Amino acid sequence: MINLINSNIERIRRSKLKYIFLIVIFLAILTIIYNYLKINSINNIIIVEDLVLNCGVVIGFICAIMVNFFIGEEYTDGTIRNKIILGYSRYKIYLANLITLISIALICYLIYVGIIFGLGIPIFGNIISSFNDVIIRLIDLTFIIIAYISIYTFISQLINNQVITISLCLLIMILQIFSSLLFVTKLEDSEYYDTYIPENTKVIYETMINIMPVGQAYEIKNGRTLPEDSFEILWIYSSITSSILTIIGLIIFKRKDIN
Amino acid sequence: MEYVLEVSNLTKKYKEFKGLNNLNCKVPKGSIYGLIGKNGAGKTTLIRIICGLQKPTNGTYSIYGNKNFQRRISAIIESPSIINNLTAIDNLKVQSKLVGMPSYDEIDELLSLVNLTNTKNKKVYNFSLGMRQRLGIAMCLVGNPDFLILDEPINGLDPEGIVEIRELLLKLNKEKNITILISSHYLDELSKIATYYGFIDNGYMIKEISKESLDKLLQKRIILKVKKVSQIIPLLEKMNISYQVIDDENIILYGDIDIQDLLSYLKNNNHKVLKVIEKDETLESYFMNLLGGDSDD
């Protein structure tokens, strides 16, 4: 599998995908500049940790594009076919692609976090939330990224057609956004307007929010909808989602006819 | 004889349609095996299965006796697996990493072998079809495989491109002893390089035959019907004519024979010829006869 990962890295190094790191640096600096201008224009307070923690949904779209670009090209160029012909097992091919994409995404994430805190703290001041709280939410966001990559790898690896996969991935993001907003709104209403929701239903809504990476991203941004819930459990949900989808993906990919 | 590939009763079903139907074949080591069949015969399906891209419904196949054949085979299926946004040399570097080569030392040699040294820094999307095919073959050769599978490698190439590929394949087979399985519709082209043939139709291997045996069958020949074959054999041997006895009355004569001279000679020696049939087959007519069940071998 080392050879597979090495060849993936070599391919990325020589293709347009390598510019993703520059794009992330650019976005991070743009975020700093934009918020700096916001302070000066309307005397706003910028909470530096929010500049990272609010990005969960945007990260999802970026991951969708990145995964589809990488795996879609593999199908278009015949690279996946080539790997199978050379004798690599389907499991190794799938996992190597997953590991490569997770690594790139997490490196981009670290670059973004590093720039935001590195430049943001001197400009906007220290973090306001408790250190532990920020760390836990950053860890949750890390696992959300892994969940995003797992979902999109599952879709892209199993469907040859790049148009269908990117459409499906974006549709999944949009459905998650709407579903999360719906569940969060219903839960918030029950807290503040005494709109009765049975406990079982509350648990179901909260579980659905916890399962969806976008739902988690929303909670990380705005705080837990139900005060009794904590951030410590969110990474477990992401891990379970990633694991289940990867296992199912491996089984289906093993049986798939490649044309 | 050692075989690189052995296929036994391979079947592939797509719902109600059988892509392969109890197909058997053997590819001898060191040969150039020409897989011939019309469109939809099952050539690509067979190649996809032996390359691991599809699973058979029934039957088995083994490559090198199922020993660890990773890196020993390489293939181009319909089009080469090359990354369009990279240059030729970058493609080879990526392939080197994939195959686990410790260095890029052999890349220049491969580029020279396929005549792409001058264009190694050109992006592949600017390549002609012939150049892409040659780069595809170079990619296949990274890691020194000894079994190369090519599915329709000369489709769409101009005459110059076809000659280049042909000469390259002959060179690989002779100098590096690479076994090559090549499928094609271009019978004339295949006849210039193949040492073994497999004729496939409706997912079934109709016939496998070596080049020597096929050349004999395709030789111009005359079938004579006489009263008694044994009586004319001494005369044929005197004339240095190659022959094959079919039965007491029928005999096949091979070679470029003047029929009038032969008939006069036999007549002068009191041998009556009852019937004369001239046969002059090409690979194409042989293949068409096979499909029609008319092969007389």
Side-chain angles (χ1 to χ4, degrees), chain B residues 67-98:
Chain B
K67 294 179 189 107
N68 182 15
F69 60 83
Q70 192 171 347
R71 285 185 51 190
R72 296 187 71 183
I73 80 165
S74 204
I76 297 177
I77 300 178
E78 290 176 343
S79 60
S81 303
I82 46 183
I83 304 167
N84 286 309
N85 295 325
L86 301 186
T87 61
I89 192 167
D90 283 346
N91 265 283
L92 289 168
K93 285 181 178 173
V94 172
Q95 185 75 356
S96 294
K97 286 278 183 209
L98 187 59

Side-chain angles (χ1 to χ4, degrees), chain A:
Chain A
M1 193 147 79
I2 299 289
N3 290 342
L4 285 168
I5 294 173
N6 278 343
S7 84
N8 284 347
I9 292 169
E10 192 69 20
R11 204 181 118 212
I12 290 165
R13 223 166 59 81
R14 296 171 191 282
S15 76
K16 289 192 175 77
L17 201 53
K18 67 176 177 269
Y19 296 119
I20 194 164
F21 301 110
L22 288 176
I23 292 171
V24 167
I25 293 169
F26 173 74
L27 284 174
I29 294 172
L30 194 65
T31 304
I32 298 285
I33 294 171
Y34 172 73
N35 284 280
Y36 178 74
L37 293 173
K38 240 166 91 171
I39 295 179
N40 287 339
S41 65
I42 53 170
N43 215 23
N44 215 349
I45 298 172
I46 301 295
I47 302 171
V48 71
E49 61 267 31
D50 283 354
L51 299 182
V52 174
L53 299 173
N54 291 353
C55 296
V57 176
V58 172
I59 288 174
F61 283 105
I62 295 174
C63 287
I65 294 166
M66 185 181 76
V67 170
N68 273 280
F69 187 84
F70 181 82
I71 296 181
E73 263 202 348
E74 288 227 321
Y75 273 113
T76 313
D77 291 335
T79 309
I80 286 186
R81 199 173 60 194
N82 188 26
K83 289 174 180 176
I84 294 169
I85 290 168
L86 285 173
Y88 288 106
S89 72
R90 305 279 184 114
Y91 293 140
K92 284 184 181 173
I93 294 169
Y94 189 106
L95 287 174
N97 282 348
L98 184 66
I99 290 168
T100 305
L101 288 163
I102 287 173
S103 305
I104 295 171
L106 292 181
I107 290 171
C108 290
Y109 174 58
L110 286 172
I111 291 172
Y112 184 81
V113 169
I115 293 174
I116 294 294
F117 285 128
L119 293 178
I121 289 174
I123 296 173
F124 306 122
N126 221 335
I127 57 173
I128 289 175
S129 315
S130 79
F131 183 75
N132 277 350
D133 183 56
V134 172
I135 292 295
I136 288 165
R137 288 198 279 168
L138 285 174
I139 292 172
D140 285 337
L141 199 45
T142 306
F143 278 87
I144 287 172
I145 292 170
I146 295 172
Y148 278 141
I149 300 290
S150 303
I151 294 168
Y152 303 137
T153 302
F154 173 82
I155 295 168
S156 304
Q157 202 74 64
L158 301 183
I159 301 174
N160 297 15
N161 190 313
Q162 229 177 334
V163 172
I164 292 176
T165 55
I166 187 70
S167 305
L168 212 49
C169 291
L170 294 177
L171 185 64
I172 286 171
M173 278 300 294
I174 292 167
L175 282 174
Q176 284 186 79
I177 291 169
F178 281 117
S179 309
S180 304
L181 282 173
L182 179 69
F183 293 132
V184 165
T185 309
K186 283 191 181 297
L187 286 174
E188 278 176 348
D189 284 352
S190 78
E191 291 291 308
Y192 297 110
Y193 301 113
D194 274 334
T195 312
Y196 177 70
I197 296 178
E199 272 311 305
N200 288 345
T201 311
K202 274 191 191 177
V203 168
I204 290 169
Y205 286 168
E206 191 61 32
T207 307
M208 292 305 295
I209 292 168
N210 289 343
I211 287 173
M212 289 187 288
V214 170
Q216 288 188 27
Y218 190 83
E219 300 257 290
I220 286 172
K221 176 176 173 250
N222 295 323
R224 297 290 290 185
T225 312
L226 297 179
E228 61 269 27
D229 290 335
S230 70
F231 288 108
E232 276 93 352
I233 59 163
L234 288 183
W235 70 270
I236 298 173
Y237 281 95
S238 296
S239 303
I240 293 171
T241 305
S242 304
S243 304
I244 291 174
L245 279 177
T246 300
I247 290 168
I248 297 171
L250 286 168
I251 293 169
I252 299 174
F253 187 60
K254 189 173 189 321
R255 293 172 191 186
K256 182 178 156 63
D257 280 350
I258 306 288
N259 291 323

Side-chain angles (χ1 to χ4, degrees), chain B residues 154-169:
Chain B
I154 57 175
N155 276 12
L157 294 184
D158 59 22
E160 195 183 337
I162 292 173
V163 170
E164 280 173 351
I165 297 292
R166 184 209 309 153
E167 286 174 359
L168 177 59
L169 295 179

Side-chain angles (χ1 to χ4, degrees), chain B residues 250-261:
Chain B
N250 294 287
I251 186 167
I252 303 174
L253 309 182
Y254 294 104
D256 201 6
I257 301 165
D258 188 320
I259 290 187
Q260 294 308 321
D261 278 353

Side-chain angles (χ1 to χ4, degrees), chain B residues 70-281:
Chain B
Q70 192 171 347
R71 285 185 51 190
R72 296 187 71 183
I73 80 165
S74 204
I76 297 177
I77 300 178
E78 290 176 343
S79 60
S81 303
I82 46 183
I83 304 167
N84 286 309
N85 295 325
L86 301 186
T87 61
I89 192 167
D90 283 346
N91 265 283
L92 289 168
K93 285 181 178 173
V94 172
Q95 185 75 356
S96 294
K97 286 278 183 209
L98 187 59
V99 165
M101 299 301 285
S103 70
Y104 298 140
D105 291 344
E106 65 164 2
I107 287 179
D108 284 332
E109 191 195 325
L110 285 173
L111 286 166
S112 169
L113 183 67
V114 299
N115 221 3
L116 288 176
T117 306
N118 295 338
T119 48
K120 66 181 181 184
N121 292 316
K122 207 173 161 188
K123 293 258 166 115
V124 171
Y125 54 66
N126 288 320
F127 275 18
S128 68
L129 192 53
M131 290 164 78
R132 293 170 69 87
Q133 289 294 106
R134 281 185 276 139
L135 177 60
I137 292 173
M139 297 271 286
C140 285
L141 295 175
V142 173
N144 300 313
D146 32 35
F147 183 28
L148 194 56
I149 301 170
L150 304 171
D151 184 25
E152 315 267 7
I154 57 175
N155 276 12
L157 294 184
D158 59 22
E160 195 183 337
I162 292 173
V163 170
E164 280 173 351
I165 297 292
R166 184 209 309 153
E167 286 174 359
L168 177 59
L169 295 179
L170 283 169
K171 192 175 181 180
L172 291 174
N173 180 250
K174 281 199 175 75
E175 291 179 13
K176 293 183 184 259
N177 202 30
I178 294 176
T179 307
I180 300 173
L181 168 68
I182 172 169
S183 83
S184 184
H185 309 301
Y186 291 87
L187 303 184
D188 186 47
E189 242 336 279
L190 268 188
S191 69
K192 290 175 184 161
I193 60 172
T195 58
Y196 267 84
Y197 296 90
F199 296 91
I200 180 172
D201 189 45
N202 288 326
Y204 186 76
M205 185 66 76
I206 309 171
K207 185 147 190 80
E208 285 185 290
I209 188 168
S210 69
K211 181 178 165 62
E212 291 79 26
S213 304
L214 185 62
D215 282 348
K216 260 194 182 158
L217 290 174
L218 299 184
Q219 239 178 0
K220 184 177 173 180
R221 57 199 189 278
I222 297 166
I223 301 172
L224 286 185
K225 185 172 179 166
V226 295
K227 268 192 178 162
K228 211 166 177 164
V229 158
S230 55
Q231 286 176 351
I232 68 166
I233 284 175
L235 294 171
L236 296 174
E237 284 174 356
K238 230 179 177 177
M239 292 175 78
N240 281 327
I241 292 175
S242 305
Y243 62 87
Q244 183 186 346
V245 175
I246 303 172
D247 55 39
D248 279 345
E249 292 179 346
N250 294 287
I251 186 167
I252 303 174
L253 309 182
Y254 294 104
D256 201 6
I257 301 165
D258 188 320
I259 290 187
Q260 294 308 321
D261 278 353
L262 175 67
L263 291 176
S264 303
Y265 183 70
L266 289 172
K267 190 181 173 186
N268 291 342
N269 283 277
N270 298 318
H271 294 293
K272 194 176 178 187
V273 173
L274 301 172
K275 196 174 178 183
V276 179
I277 302 170
E278 263 191 276
K279 287 235 174 191
D280 191 0
E281 276 205 276

